Amino acid sequence: ALSLQGARMVLSTRFFTDFTPQASFDIKKCELHRLEAGPSETAVLTREQGLQYYRTMQTMRRMELKADQLYKQKIIRGFCHLYDGQEACAMGIEAGINPTDHLITAYRAHGYTFTRGVSVREIMAELTGRRGGVAKGKGGSMHMYAKHFYGGNGIVGAQVPLGAGVALACQYQGNNQVCVALYGDGAANQGQIFESFNMAALWKLPCIFICENNKFGMGTSVERSSASTDYFKRGDYIPGIKVDGMDVLCVREAIKFAADYCRAGKGPIVMELETYRYHGHSMSDPGVSYRSREEIQEVRSKSDPITMLKERMLSNNMASVEEIKEIDVDIRKVIEDAAQFAISDPEPPLDELCNHIFANDLPMEVRGTNPWVKLKSVS
Amino acid sequence: MVVLEVSPISTEELWSSVSDHWVLGHPPDQGLSLLSAQFGRAVNVRDALNQAMDEELERDERVFLLGEEVAQYDGAYKVSRGLWKKYGDKRIIDTPITEMGFAGIAVGAAFAGLRPICEFMTWNFSMQAIDQVINSAAKTYYMSAGAQPVPIVFRGPNGSSAGVAAQHSQCFAAWYGHCPGLKVVSPWNSEDARGLLKAAIRDDNPVVFLENELMYGVPFDLSEDVLQKDFVVPIGKAKVERRGTHITLVSHSRCVGFCLDAASVLAKEGVECEVVNLRTIRPLDVDTIEASVMKTGHLVTVEGGWPQYGVGAEICARVMEGPAFNYLDAPAVRVTGVDIPMPYAKILEDHSVPQIKDIIFSVKKVLNM
């Protein structure tokens, strides 16, 4: 069962010098598969880290809620798969790896796009299909890229072999980097994932396979899709760890452990993050035909990752209520500004239509919709 | 094709014995040494591919080869013979029989800075991995608006072989040629194979490289220029293999040889065929085709694949839509494989693919002879 650590709210004002610089938290022990020892059961959190994690997760939350709003206003169109509820996964992972490590995920990717370094402005403008979007409006929700971040992938499961390939490149180049390859509980039954497990284990690729188990693959609960729902064990011969994905510190300690394991040349490792999405599968899914509103409410009130972090910080005198409020106000401004940009930025120019077919190539001609329309394509 | 006078057996006997060996893909040791004695360096298509890969592996340490049996088996068709011994496990990687997985791994490696050559034992097996070729490789540079190039080569034998039946005989030129974001090449001879493979490996984009098993053992003369380490055949340029004035034959891969044979026969009847070797399926060199058609006024396309929605269909459509149409004195026609799954029995298989007599027949029909 997912539950918050007990916390008391401290409501008096304090001077910054009074704040506790860091605290140690007991975190949930991870269930292990083929491992003698697992991630640390305590996590040290500094005030700076706490504030940073809070800011990042709250930004992700607000960004997704703003996307929801814009979608309902028909300013965002097509696919929009929102990540709210799962913020601790993206934040915890980023906190436990280096910027030079690599990450690839599926289509519920806005959170990771942000943690991997793309601004909210560029993300939102990509969602609204404008020229200021991170992919110049040509990719949309599922196809955003950054340095050492390979999207955003639309085909369920395809990103996992890709991630194993990135890990192969890390091993080949001897750069001591790892690749985190994420997939959902719905994707976990894909054959190509087991093909990736096999090759990663055979060749000892530095790949961390992570299943974000949010209990539902679209409208199909894990019990209805999977003969075995122990996703952390599905790697069979590959060691696995089951992690509380609502606790950012749990995720961070687990990924640190996993990254160390891979960097030591021991081969791949599988992680299952138990998490939850508040929204339906996508914006076209209300999300209540296959689960109850009560269930969603229960997770929100008892296991929300941002609330959990906030209460830890407050109850340990690592931040003040005012400070948190200020951060919230600041984030609201960032989101508003980004949304404004995303709405007002012009769409890509039509002469961009055929560009970026080939890299490092001479300009070429592309056939338009009829033989008299000859369009130009540059790299 | 070259015919030699060698005693004590007759030319015909030599030709049939040598061509049997070559057709089955075994190295024609006798044939090679005979040719090289007469004409300088003869290299068969297999060795041309092998040498191209060897040179590119040496030139750029980011290049590596993966696929089934490419390493310790020396390649299912021996195309990668000797490479594992020379470059080792790191650069020549044997994969399990998991096309979708290893094609995806190859694409991921290309994302992260390497330059993989991903071999499909035959292109029939690429269907298991086609999502990775199209959705992960071909489309990524566009979807990322130029942020993520994918410098990968997918290669392997394509099209019909000999007696391998329906599931192992399909031609994929039209399938992959349909997709933006891919370059698709289909070499005929050793010069094509060598130059196009080097170009493909040096290209920063996904290249589908369609070889032909029945051509692997066939030797061709390679000049000193072609044997230079930096020799490349530009992707997207067709080659006129034979100049002619009466009719244009456009073809790719093994059928180019049949077109040249048909042209030799037709020349005796006073018909001079211009034979265009496409070399590249996508992007199609429409300019060379149009220039030829505008000269000859007649067009026959020749391919091993099925007719419907095929390479020939595209060529005819392009000629219809462009300036060359006004120069046509007769409708353009296609010579293709028969529209059936490939049968096994030799007599049936022989009648499932274009033969030289089919090309001759079609030429005469188009020329109203």
Side-chain angles (χ1 to χ4, degrees):
Chain A
L2 304 168
S3 63
L4 283 175
Q5 306 268 346
R8 284 175 295 114
M9 293 292 287
V10 180
L11 289 169
S12 52
T13 54
R14 303 273 177 160
F15 292 111
F16 285 115
T17 49
D18 283 343
F19 286 125
T20 316
Q22 72 179 45
S24 180
F25 295 93
D26 291 333
I27 52 177
K28 193 190 277 183
K29 183 175 194 305
C30 296
E31 224 184 306
L32 301 175
H33 171 69
R34 288 190 189 272
L35 281 170
E36 290 303 313
S40 172
E41 286 166 49
T42 58
V44 172
L45 180 70
T46 68
R47 189 178 122 78
E48 284 70 37
Q49 285 169 342
L51 290 172
Q52 187 220 330
Y53 300 168
Y54 177 85
R55 180 183 285 273
T56 305
M57 292 201 286
Q58 186 71 290
T59 303
M60 279 193 265
R61 176 68 59 88
R62 297 264 141 231
M63 177 178 75
E64 295 295 77
L65 294 179
K66 178 55 80 173
D68 169 278
Q69 213 178 63
L70 292 177
Y71 195 93
K72 286 169 175 155
Q73 293 174 281
K74 299 198 195 297
I75 300 170
I76 296 177
R77 48 191 277 280
F79 287 133
C80 193
H81 307 89
L82 298 179
Y83 197 66
D84 50 310
Q86 300 187 212
E87 295 86 357
C89 297
M91 183 64 252
I93 290 171
E94 193 61 33
I97 59 174
N98 304 321
T100 47
D101 288 321
H102 307 258
L103 190 141
I104 189 169
T105 186
Y107 49 76
R108 199 175 301 282
H110 307 160
Y112 289 101
T113 312
F114 181 66
T115 53
R116 285 264 98 190
V118 180
S119 69
V120 182
R121 267 165 81 97
E122 280 189 292
I123 294 172
M124 303 221 73
E126 188 60 36
L127 292 177
T128 56
R130 308 302 166 98
R131 63 181 68 184
V134 64
K136 304 194 170 122
K138 297 173 95 164
S141 168
M142 300 184 292
H143 307 296
M144 306 198 216
Y145 300 79
K147 197 153 189 288
H148 293 209
F149 174 59
Y150 307 92
N153 288 274
I155 307 297
V156 171
Q159 75 279 10
V160 178
L162 294 174
V166 172
L168 175 74
C170 293
Q171 183 189 66
Y172 189 106
Q173 293 164 334
N175 54 27
N176 204 36
Q177 292 160 8
V178 301
C179 183
V180 178
L182 291 130
Y183 55 97
D185 49 278
N189 299 310
Q190 276 264 316
Q192 58 187 319
I193 292 185
F194 294 93
E195 296 186 13
S196 307
F197 285 166
N198 181 47
M199 285 181 274
L202 263 181
W203 302 333
K204 291 196 155 34
L205 301 181
C207 193
I208 305 171
F209 295 105
I210 301 188
C211 177
E212 281 181 293
N213 177 4
N214 61 17
K215 313 263 172 300
F216 298 93
M218 205 156 165
T220 307
S221 67
V222 294
E223 294 79 28
R224 292 201 308 126
S225 75
S226 309
S228 161
T229 55
D230 288 327
Y231 297 107
F232 70 110
K233 292 187 187 170
R234 298 289 287 282
D236 187 9
Y237 38 79
I238 299 179
I241 310 173
K242 186 164 165 169
V243 181
D244 178 358
M246 302 306 262
D247 180 351
V248 65
L249 296 181
C250 234
V251 177
R252 186 189 74 183
E253 292 311 307
I255 197 91
K256 270 187 189 165
F257 175 88
D260 285 345
Y261 182 94
C262 287
R263 278 187 239 278
K266 294 181 186 170
I269 195 163
V270 173
M271 265 169 61
E272 176 186 341
L273 303 182
E274 283 199 283
T275 183
Y276 199 84
R277 54 164 162 83
Y278 295 141
H279 268 83
H281 162 72
S282 71
M283 283 306 297
S284 54
D285 170 27
V288 288
S289 64
Y290 48 85
R291 56 183 188 173
S292 68
R293 288 185 206 276
E294 290 73 41
E295 179 188 284
I296 306 170
Q297 222 358 74
E298 170 138 9
V299 177
R300 250 193 225 281
S301 57
K302 296 214 181 113
S303 318
D304 185 277
I306 300 175
T307 309
M308 191 198 301
L309 176 64
K310 182 167 83 175
E311 298 196 347
R312 267 187 176 140
M313 303 260 312
L314 292 174
S315 63
N316 285 275
N317 196 29
M318 296 176 77
S320 74
V321 172
E322 291 79 21
E323 202 175 13
I324 302 274
K325 270 209 181 78
E326 262 170 48
I327 295 175
D328 287 350
V329 165
D330 194 42
I331 290 172
R332 189 159 294 131
K333 258 204 302 246
V334 168
I335 302 299
E336 269 315 311
D337 167 73
Q340 256 314 109
F341 175 69
I343 293 170
S344 59
D345 198 42
E347 287 191 285
L350 278 179
D351 55 28
E352 269 284 320
L353 180 68
C354 297
N355 292 342
H356 310 121
I357 297 287
F358 293 131
N360 294 329
D361 245 24
L362 295 170
M364 67 178 191
E365 199 178 86
V366 171
R367 188 182 195 276
T369 55
N370 63 64
W372 296 277
V373 176
K374 296 179 204 290
L375 303 167
K376 186 158 172 224
S377 173
V378 299
S379 291
Chain B
M1 291 296 232
V2 178
V3 175
L4 301 173
E5 284 292 311
V6 178
S7 59
I9 59 175
S10 74
T11 308
E12 257 173 351
E13 283 173 80
L14 170 68
W15 195 238
S16 65
S17 72
V18 162
S19 68
D20 277 342
H21 279 305
W22 285 340
V23 159
L24 288 171
H26 294 291
D29 295 319
Q30 292 170 315
L32 263 180
S33 57
L34 287 165
L35 277 171
S36 48
Q38 292 270 324
F39 291 103
R41 180 94 170 268
V43 180
N44 65 27
V45 172
R46 175 187 294 108
D47 290 341
L49 295 167
N50 183 282
Q51 282 160 25
M53 283 199 285
D54 190 354
E55 289 167 17
E56 295 306 300
L57 282 157
E58 196 172 274
R59 175 180 180 269
D60 187 337
E61 61 185 17
R62 297 169 299 173
V63 176
F64 71 101
L65 172 67
L66 84 168
E68 294 155 12
E69 312 302 338
V70 296
Q72 297 191 15
Y73 198 87
D74 272 334
Y77 300 98
K78 304 292 181 259
V79 178
S80 55
R81 175 170 46 206
L83 296 180
W84 175 66
K85 209 161 172 196
K86 183 171 176 185
Y87 294 101
D89 288 331
K90 178 179 169 179
R91 309 209 42 215
I92 312 294
I93 304 176
D94 275 337
T95 64
I97 308 171
T98 51
E99 274 78 3
M100 198 167 186
F102 72 70
I105 281 178
V107 176
F111 282 176
L114 300 184
R115 303 185 71 89
I117 306 168
C118 176
E119 176 177 304
F120 291 120
M121 194 182 282
T122 77
W123 273 97
N124 302 283
F125 313 143
S126 76
M127 286 197 282
Q128 309 237 291
I130 196 164
D131 176 65
Q132 297 288 2
V133 178
I134 307 297
N135 279 322
S136 301
K139 296 178 184 173
T140 292
Y141 192 67
Y142 186 87
M143 292 191 295
S144 67
Q148 180 63 71
V150 190
I152 187 166
V153 176
F154 298 99
R155 52 160 289 274
N158 176 57
S160 59
S161 180
V164 294
Q167 293 177 343
H168 288 75
S169 303
Q170 189 168 331
C171 175
F172 288 87
W175 281 38
Y176 290 109
H178 187 60
C179 301
L182 285 182
K183 298 189 184 183
V184 180
V185 299
S186 183
W188 163 55
N189 61 12
S190 298
E191 178 177 322
D192 293 354
R194 174 181 170 74
L196 286 172
L197 188 52
K198 277 170 165 292
I201 294 168
R202 295 183 191 198
D203 202 304
D204 289 335
N205 297 287
V207 181
V208 163
F209 195 91
L210 305 171
E211 300 162 9
N212 186 291
E213 196 214 323
L214 299 175
M215 293 303 294
Y216 282 153
V218 180
F220 295 88
D221 300 323
L222 294 186
S223 70
E224 276 312 305
D225 285 342
V226 171
L227 292 166
Q228 293 304 304
K229 291 224 159 100
D230 285 330
F231 171 77
V232 292
V233 165
I235 293 177
K237 283 295 299 164
K239 183 176 178 207
V240 179
E241 297 287 349
R242 184 189 194 280
R243 297 258 166 223
T245 47
H246 297 126
I247 187 164
T248 299
L249 300 176
V250 179
S251 186
H252 72 99
S253 191
R254 187 157 179 254
C255 288
V256 174
F258 299 157
C259 288
L260 290 169
D261 291 342
S264 299
V265 175
L266 285 161
K268 298 197 188 103
E269 298 183 51
V271 176
E272 291 301 326
C273 300
E274 180 143 294
V275 177
V276 176
N277 172 7
L278 281 177
R279 288 180 154 179
T280 300
I281 303 291
R282 183 181 185 104
L284 194 64
D285 183 359
V286 180
D287 290 345
T288 299
I289 298 170
E290 282 178 337
S292 178
V293 173
M294 295 202 288
K295 185 171 80 171
T296 68
H298 300 84
L299 173 62
V300 171
T301 69
V302 185
E303 68 198 284
W306 295 316
Q308 216 164 313
Y309 311 111
V311 174
E314 175 64 18
I315 292 169
C316 291
R318 298 269 200 123
V319 166
M320 289 275 280
E321 289 181 346
F325 172 75
N326 289 314
Y327 292 77
L328 280 176
D329 292 331
V333 302
R334 304 165 292 164
V335 173
T336 69
V338 177
D339 205 6
I340 52 172
M342 182 69 71
Y344 166 67
K346 188 166 200 312
I347 189 172
L348 297 181
E349 185 180 64
D350 288 345
H351 285 83
S352 304
V353 294
Q355 299 185 33
I356 294 165
K357 63 173 170 63
D358 299 319
I359 304 172
I360 294 169
F361 177 83
S362 301
V363 166
K364 288 183 172 175
K365 281 290 242 186
V366 168
L367 290 174
N368 212 18
M369 285 167 68

